[in-house]
Amino acid sequence: MTEEDIDRVLQLEEACFATPWTRDAFEHELQDNPYAVYYVLEFEGVLVGYCGLWVIIDEAHITNIAILPEYRGMKLGQALFEVVMEKARLVGAIQLSLEVRVSNIVAQRLYRKYGLLPGGVRKNYYTDNQEDAVVMWVKL
C-alpha cells in the first residue's frame, strides 16, 4: 500500500467495517510506524482488499484484513492472507497473531485452515457494538 492507495482503501473500509479507520490512521501507519507494512489486493483493476501487518522483532500481528463484500467467496482473502503470512516469515517473524470477532465464523475457519488457534478473548474489543474478539495465534 502506498499513500496513493488510501482513497480506495477508505472506500473499502466504509464498505467493510462499522467503524472504519480514518485517513489519518492510514497515513500514520504508512509514514510513521516503522513496524507496519500494508498490502493491497487488486483484482481485474479493482482494489478489492487490503491487509495490515506489524512485525516487532520476531512477532507479527495482523491489524486489519478486508475484502470488498461483492468479492468475497472467490478465495481472494485466502490468497491475501497467504501472501501476508509468507511476508511475515521472510522478515523473521516466528509467530503471528490477530483478533477476530467472535461472530465471524467464516474468518475463524480460514485462520484455522492456516493453523491459527484461539489463545484468548478480548472482552468488549470492538467499539461499534462491544463484541468480544477471539485472539488467534500460530507459530510460523
Side-chain angles (χ1 to χ4, degrees):
M1 182 187 298
T2 66
E3 289 184 47
E4 291 77 33
D5 295 316
I6 292 176
D7 285 336
R8 295 184 300 161
V9 170
L10 289 171
Q11 292 173 346
L12 190 148
E13 278 279 300
E14 290 286 334
C16 294
F17 299 116
T19 52
W21 280 20
T22 64
R23 173 178 297 281
D24 287 345
F26 283 107
E27 288 175 349
H28 169 73
E29 288 292 286
L30 294 177
Q31 297 169 3
D32 304 323
N33 186 344
Y35 307 107
V37 62
Y38 282 72
Y39 301 92
V40 293
L41 174 65
E42 292 188 354
F43 180 74
E44 297 179 350
V46 177
L47 192 149
V48 299
Y50 85 94
C51 184
L53 181 70
W54 291 351
V55 180
I56 303 170
I57 306 173
D58 60 359
E59 292 189 18
H61 179 75
I62 291 181
T63 59
N64 273 351
I65 185 166
I67 299 292
L68 281 172
E70 58 269 32
Y71 288 88
R72 292 178 187 163
M74 300 171 63
K75 302 207 182 284
L76 297 171
Q78 179 175 320
L80 179 58
F81 190 72
E82 287 176 3
V83 166
V84 172
M85 282 187 74
E86 183 59 23
K87 295 288 186 184
R89 282 187 195 99
L90 289 173
V91 297
I94 60 171
Q95 61 185 7
L96 174 96
S97 67
L98 55 77
E99 290 91 8
V100 59
R101 288 179 184 268
V102 295
S103 65
N104 193 345
I105 303 304
V106 172
Q108 289 178 45
R109 239 183 269 132
L110 171 66
Y111 304 144
R112 284 178 185 274
K113 179 178 177 177
Y114 290 92
L116 281 88
L117 296 172
V121 173
R122 296 194 197 281
K123 292 289 188 186
N124 305 313
Y125 183 77
Y126 293 97
T127 58
D128 62 327
N129 64 356
Q130 283 62 56
E131 184 173 357
D132 296 345
V134 176
V135 182
M136 299 184 79
W137 294 84
V138 67
K139 295 279 185 196
L140 297 172

